[in-house]
């Protein structure tokens, strides 16, 4: 199953802007980018986002999250 950026933001309680930031710094890449530029995330990406948000709660830096 694939999820849009909007759906992932809603499911995770984060913002679309945050998801785009994670994409920009290479922390969370989308599973698919369509020709129109729409990004879609799969289960693997949702699990990765869950890890990122968990480490963020523990005050691990985003750079540190890349290492984990």
């Amino acid at each position: 199953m694939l999820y849009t950026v909007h759906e992932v933001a809603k499911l995770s309680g984060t913002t679309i802007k945050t998801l785009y930031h994670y994409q920009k710094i290479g922390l969370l890449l989308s599973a698919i980018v369509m020709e129109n530029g729409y990004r879609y995330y799969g289960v693997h990406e949702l699990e990765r986002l869950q890890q990122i948000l968990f480490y963020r709660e523990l005050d691990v830096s985003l750079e540190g999250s890349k290492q984990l």
Side-chain angles (χ1 to χ4, degrees):
M1 180 167 209
L2 295 175
Y3 301 90
T4 65
V5 175
H6 184 295
E7 291 170 325
V8 172
K10 189 173 181 180
L11 286 170
S12 65
T14 191
T15 65
I16 292 171
K17 184 176 179 180
T18 297
L19 295 174
Y20 282 131
H21 177 68
Y22 291 167
Q23 173 94 22
K24 183 178 178 181
I25 65 171
L27 190 58
L28 179 68
L29 303 177
S30 55
I32 298 173
V33 179
M34 303 301 276
E35 287 182 24
N36 60 7
Y38 288 11
R39 290 170 166 77
Y40 291 90
Y41 298 87
V43 174
H44 176 73
E45 290 76 26
L46 292 178
E47 290 171 351
R48 177 68 180 141
L49 177 58
Q50 186 177 22
Q51 291 174 340
I52 294 165
L53 296 175
F54 173 75
Y55 290 125
R56 190 172 74 178
E57 286 293 317
L58 296 176
D59 290 327
V60 175
S61 70
L62 292 179
E63 192 61 39
S65 293
K66 280 185 182 181
Q67 310 292 323
L68 303 172

